[in-house]
Amino acid sequence: MPAFFRHLSEVLYQVLECVGINPWVVERRRHTFLHREARGDVYSHHTGHYTTTFYFGSQSEGTTTPGLQSDTDLLTTINNVNIMFSWADWQQGMMNLLMVKDEDTPPQHYLLQVFRSDIPQPVTHIDHPDFVTDSHGRVFYSNMAVVRAITESYGENHPPILRHGPSNSPSEDLDYVMAFSCKILPPEIRAWFTKMQHGFWPTQETLQAAQTCPIFLVPDRCHGSPNEEIEWRITPNLIERLLMFSLNMVPIKCIVVLKMLKKQEFVKYIHCENCKVTTFHCKTALFFTLNRTPPTFWKKSRLIECIVRCLQTILEFLNQGECPHFIVEGVDLFDGKLCRECQLSLERAIRGIIQDDMHVLFHLQCDDLGQRLMAPHVRPYPGHDVNAAICGNLARDMFRKHLIHVKNACYRLCYSEEADVYTSLNNEINLLESLEMNPSTTQHDKNYIKVVVKYLMSVKASVTSSFCIESGQPLPPDIWQMYGESLNTDVASSKLKLASMHYCRGELRRAASVLHEVEFDLDESVQPVSGCGRMPRNDKPSKAFCEYTVQNYSHEQLTKKLAFCVRFLREEKFCAPLFLWYEMYRAVGDDVEHRDSSQRQWMDWAEVDARPFLLYLQYLTYRGLGVRHRQLEAFHRLEDIVTSRDKVNQLCHHETVINLFGHCCELEGNVYRALLTYNASLGIPRNNAANWHKQRLELIMNNYN
């Protein structure tokens, strides 16, 4: 190897640290996606869904950068189906599917024969749209069942489902796979454990852990197979993720560079329309190289050599015209992906890259890698900013997903036919708390449960207070315990609901005291988050918040710098200012018909961004207390938000905030400005309460004239 490779390796190692490929960001990514898995598992557990969620690929492994723009790989297993290897595995009362392999079944693929749920006998006639018979009269489960199920779940008005291999997704940014879990290792996988006894990697500890990983059956036919509608492919995703999690930073940086080369360079030499080199080809080359190379080779000072070794492994595959699967025997990963002509073209290109002493690295545009390599100490490329932005986005998105699940739970509780909202809330909280105490519950599950329970406790406290205000009853003694257990959901939303309750009860000084506390905590480093499904036009987390998340990543620390949107269900309306009631009945004419599935879940509630709601409550409270200078201060600060394009673009509920300012204008006696404000609000969406306010003001003005 050239002498300068050692120095270039050191520089490349440091440059990759600056764009998110460092121990703490990799760990953050893994933590975030394992936490997402926990959220999905808890949600399916207490809603009765028989599914388990897994995240795979670059995002969950921590092997991506902002420039790579990696999508998210999500796999959901259907657990109320029993996958059998033999008739002895049959279980009564379940859907039973027997893994069948005929002489012409391709490697890595199986057919799933349908068995009866009452007796261990095959189904002999088609009584379901997802069943298909073969030439021998056997009944198999169609892999198109997944496509139909996903299409139905999104409804008729949703964009077409995109199908790529086993993925059936509504979005290009998401690879969504529905699969069956196979707890018994197929013979193709068992053989791998024997073969791996020889080689430098994986370690025995990793192999031992891998033996407990379930294998998945995904709806993916083999290229050119005559049985494409009934073939299912086995995939050891969890084993592969475990292998990636076992790596240190040198091979992780190595695979990231391979992905950059694939994205920018390899694609230039693939000329056939349906051919492509995939990230999985690169990962497979890394696995084989690790297996053949002693651990002492994988050092920071030899990073370039490690990349070259992986490229040489790819050359070996291209030369022999076959890319073997690292785990499953008999599989060619080039089949259906890369024709022989493109293989030879890519082989020549990679040989040229190696012979040119890897100078291609200086031309990589992804994450400005080439420029960073040529000037690693120049400040226009500060690594800390990239790492901080990654951490900030991960933290914000994790809690945004939490709030979406909480919104779904609230919607389900509001429309439960079994009990009233208060009883449903109690049952939900008790179920979650019992699940948290279960010894089998993971720490990720427990962290998520704590977030949800605090939020639901806040709703319970507000529902209880609303009922008491409506009926004129005193608050129950345990109400303060409910509020106390929920006040640290985040820095603002639960405290604002407490202040709003005090305001609605006429306890203005108490309301002012809580609002003062919120105002003190709600500094510029606090990041707003909403779970309604709406995104601000400017959806970038603030620089101050991102810098905070670099050093603080526990749930307790993050909640000190997050401000959730404030939500009032209709059952909480007596704890909300009267003006917000209009938001709960915002539909005019056929507006309801123009709501998508997400909007139907929250547009019958009042939801508003925390910071402007703080100012609105301050305006009302200080108006009631007669503290005019504080009232005007709140008015002008709210005015600054609604008249600033940049600040409006950071809001999730633009129209509601503008409506609140319009109400303040009304209370100031400026009816004409209020009307102009409501007209401005109407320019945003349908389903806007400004329709009511405009009609109301026009009626008042007509009567006055």
Side-chain angles (χ1 to χ4, degrees):
M1 293 291 172
F4 73 89
F5 268 22
R6 181 182 182 90
H7 173 70
L8 182 58
S9 293
E10 299 274 357
V11 175
L12 178 60
Y13 192 96
Q14 188 58 44
V15 164
L16 289 169
E17 294 262 315
C18 294
V19 294
I21 308 303
N22 53 69
W24 67 93
V25 172
V26 170
E27 184 59 32
R28 298 283 174 86
R29 288 191 184 276
R30 294 176 180 178
H31 170 87
T32 299
F33 283 93
L34 289 175
H35 199 78
R36 284 193 186 184
E37 286 184 7
R39 184 188 62 247
D41 294 346
V42 171
Y43 178 75
S44 64
H45 184 278
H46 75 263
T47 55
H49 290 78
Y50 299 97
T51 60
T52 304
T53 301
F54 298 94
Y55 284 90
F56 297 114
S58 304
Q59 295 281 5
S60 63
E61 293 166 358
T63 56
T64 188
T65 66
L68 283 171
Q69 298 177 328
S70 302
D71 57 12
T72 302
D73 299 322
L74 173 63
L75 183 144
T76 298
T77 62
I78 305 167
N79 299 332
N80 58 342
V81 174
N82 179 41
I83 300 299
M84 307 158 48
F85 267 109
S86 68
W87 289 32
D89 299 327
W90 178 86
Q91 293 184 23
Q92 189 171 12
M94 296 189 69
M95 183 178 185
N96 292 275
L97 300 175
L98 177 67
M99 296 174 66
V100 175
K101 206 172 185 64
D102 295 336
E103 291 183 0
D104 58 346
T105 305
Q108 200 180 359
H109 286 77
Y110 282 86
L111 315 180
L112 297 180
Q113 186 177 5
V114 184
F115 270 57
R116 294 173 57 171
S117 60
D118 54 346
I119 57 174
Q121 294 292 330
V123 170
T124 56
H125 62 281
I126 294 179
D127 59 359
H128 195 281
D130 295 327
F131 293 173
V132 178
T133 57
D134 70 349
S135 57
H136 302 291
R138 296 176 298 179
V139 178
F140 292 100
Y141 196 69
S142 170
N143 55 39
M144 293 301 294
V146 171
V147 181
R148 284 190 284 271
I150 294 175
T151 303
E152 290 173 6
S153 69
Y154 280 102
E156 297 179 358
N157 297 327
H158 200 277
I161 300 299
L162 306 173
R163 190 173 192 194
H164 302 292
S167 170
N168 298 278
S169 172
S171 168
E172 290 284 2
D173 298 327
L174 175 70
D175 275 346
Y176 179 52
V177 177
M178 290 185 69
F180 296 124
S181 179
C182 175
K183 297 178 176 58
I184 302 173
L185 293 178
E188 300 97 319
I189 307 296
R190 290 200 300 269
W192 176 74
F193 286 97
T194 302
K195 183 173 68 174
M196 285 298 105
Q197 300 301 321
H198 309 286
F200 293 106
W201 180 87
T203 65
Q204 290 302 312
E205 292 79 9
T206 303
L207 287 173
Q208 187 174 358
Q211 290 182 353
T212 65
C213 294
I215 305 301
F216 303 116
L217 282 157
V218 299
D220 190 24
R221 60 188 181 271
C222 181
H223 175 68
S225 171
N227 297 320
E228 59 181 28
E229 191 177 350
I230 56 175
E231 287 178 348
W232 295 73
R233 176 166 58 85
I234 59 170
T235 175
N237 296 70
L238 271 179
I239 294 179
E240 291 160 2
R241 189 175 76 175
L242 185 68
L243 295 178
M244 291 301 299
F245 279 15
S246 72
L247 301 180
N248 61 34
M249 290 311 301
V250 173
I252 287 176
K253 292 175 189 287
C254 190
I255 187 66
V256 168
V257 174
L258 291 177
K259 290 178 184 180
M260 291 179 175
L261 289 170
K262 175 195 78 72
K263 182 181 177 73
Q264 180 178 316
E265 296 298 319
F266 295 176
V267 70
K268 297 176 182 177
Y269 305 95
I270 309 299
H271 306 297
C272 297
E273 183 179 356
N274 296 321
C275 290
K276 63 178 180 179
V277 180
T278 67
T279 296
F280 195 67
H281 290 136
C282 297
K283 184 187 292 186
T284 300
L286 174 68
F287 285 170
F288 275 103
T289 308
L290 283 162
N291 179 255
R292 301 167 179 174
T293 313
T296 53
F297 182 78
W298 298 87
K299 295 180 179 179
K300 175 180 177 179
S301 59
R302 306 185 75 165
L303 176 57
I304 301 296
E305 292 180 66
C306 294
I307 296 169
V308 171
R309 285 282 181 99
C310 290
L311 290 174
Q312 290 170 338
T313 302
I314 296 175
L315 280 178
E316 177 187 333
F317 297 157
L318 294 168
N319 183 50
Q320 65 192 20
E322 179 182 357
C323 179
H325 197 291
F326 184 65
I327 297 175
V328 186
E329 283 190 312
V331 176
D332 178 13
L333 297 176
F334 285 158
D335 187 26
K337 298 288 185 183
L338 205 62
C339 69
R340 188 58 185 154
E341 180 184 347
C342 290
Q343 290 175 27
L344 295 174
S345 174
L346 185 60
E347 180 184 4
R348 289 190 294 271
I350 293 177
R351 289 192 188 280
I353 288 172
I354 296 174
Q355 290 169 0
D356 195 32
D357 293 336
M358 298 301 294
H359 277 89
V360 68
L361 295 177
F362 294 99
H363 302 287
L364 287 179
Q365 298 173 12
C366 189
D367 298 289
D368 299 313
L369 193 82
Q371 294 186 53
R372 290 173 183 268
L373 281 175
M374 289 186 283
H377 303 296
V378 176
R379 289 288 76 185
Y381 304 100
H384 180 74
D385 290 347
V386 175
N387 291 324
I390 293 171
C391 293
N393 276 289
L394 288 171
R396 188 269 319 270
D397 291 347
M398 180 169 65
F399 278 88
R400 178 182 284 166
K401 295 291 185 183
H402 289 350
L403 292 181
I404 290 173
H405 276 240
V406 169
K407 176 201 67 177
N408 294 339
C410 289
Y411 181 78
R412 189 177 67 254
L413 297 176
C414 284
Y415 296 97
S416 171
E417 297 179 357
E418 299 176 1
D420 60 88
V421 171
Y422 182 84
T423 304
S424 298
L425 278 167
N426 260 341
N427 294 339
E428 189 92 355
I429 291 170
N430 291 336
L431 180 62
L432 286 168
E433 288 179 337
S434 64
L435 183 59
E436 183 183 3
M437 299 301 294
N438 191 315
S440 64
T441 302
T442 68
Q443 189 58 49
H444 287 289
D445 289 351
K446 291 179 179 179
N447 288 339
Y448 171 64
I449 289 171
K450 287 176 182 176
V451 173
V452 177
V453 167
K454 286 178 183 179
Y455 195 99
L456 294 181
M457 191 65 73
S458 172
V459 178
K460 178 182 174 182
S462 192
V463 167
T464 304
S465 301
S466 180
F467 173 78
C468 293
I469 294 171
E470 179 186 15
S471 61
Q473 298 180 18
L475 296 178
D478 63 343
I479 191 68
W480 306 116
Q481 181 182 350
M482 294 184 207
Y483 276 112
E485 292 178 9
S486 67
L487 288 183
N488 60 347
T489 53
D490 61 315
V491 77
S493 67
S494 295
K495 293 177 183 177
L496 287 172
K497 291 179 77 169
L498 173 61
S500 184
M501 183 272 289
H502 283 310
Y503 170 79
C504 293
R505 281 173 52 86
E507 300 166 344
L508 300 184
R509 295 196 179 279
R510 288 188 175 184
S513 176
V514 177
L515 293 172
H516 178 73
E517 180 183 345
V518 175
E519 182 180 22
F520 180 80
D521 293 334
L522 202 58
D523 59 37
E524 292 304 316
S525 64
V526 173
Q527 177 65 34
V529 183
S530 176
C532 67
R534 272 192 179 177
M535 300 292 186
R537 294 191 184 101
N538 178 8
D539 197 33
K540 292 175 62 176
S542 69
K543 181 179 179 182
F545 174 73
C546 291
E547 290 175 348
Y548 175 84
T549 60
V550 172
Q551 302 297 330
N552 305 277
Y553 206 68
S554 72
H555 274 68
E556 292 75 15
Q557 292 168 327
L558 287 176
T559 52
K560 297 176 183 177
K561 294 297 179 182
L562 291 169
F564 302 160
C565 283
V566 184
R567 174 184 296 150
F568 291 98
L569 312 183
R570 288 185 178 180
E571 290 76 8
E572 303 173 81
K573 66 182 180 182
F574 286 94
C575 286
L578 186 62
F579 187 82
L580 274 182
W581 292 20
Y582 285 94
E583 301 293 328
M584 303 177 187
Y585 304 92
R586 64 179 70 203
V588 175
D590 63 345
D591 279 352
V592 173
E593 299 175 10
H594 294 270
R595 296 177 182 177
D596 61 29
S597 57
S598 170
Q599 290 171 335
R600 283 194 293 272
Q601 290 187 327
W602 66 268
M603 278 195 167
D604 287 338
W605 307 330
E607 188 154 349
V608 59
D609 300 76
R611 197 181 301 273
F613 185 59
L614 164 69
L615 299 173
Y616 176 69
L617 270 184
Q618 284 181 324
Y619 179 87
L620 296 181
T621 301
Y622 291 122
R623 179 174 183 267
L625 289 171
V627 186
R628 180 62 175 165
H629 71 283
R630 293 302 308 273
Q631 178 191 357
L632 285 176
E633 180 185 351
F635 177 87
H636 291 305
R637 289 172 63 192
L638 184 57
E639 179 182 36
D640 180 56
I641 290 176
V642 300
T643 56
S644 166
R645 181 183 296 272
D646 290 341
K647 292 179 180 178
V648 167
N649 286 342
Q650 293 171 12
L651 300 174
C652 289
H653 300 278
H654 323 74
E655 77 283 10
T656 303
V657 173
I658 295 173
N659 292 342
L660 294 182
F661 179 68
H663 186 224
C664 293
C665 292
E666 281 191 67
L667 296 177
E668 287 292 307
N670 194 339
V671 178
Y672 288 101
R673 186 175 188 190
L675 186 59
L676 289 173
T677 302
Y678 296 140
N679 278 326
S681 176
L682 285 174
I684 299 175
R686 294 190 66 134
N687 290 278
N688 192 333
N691 284 298
W692 298 117
H693 303 313
K694 181 182 177 183
Q695 292 177 29
R696 179 173 51 80
L697 279 191
E698 287 175 344
L699 183 61
I700 292 172
M701 292 171 69
N702 288 336
N703 290 337
Y704 178 78
N705 293 332

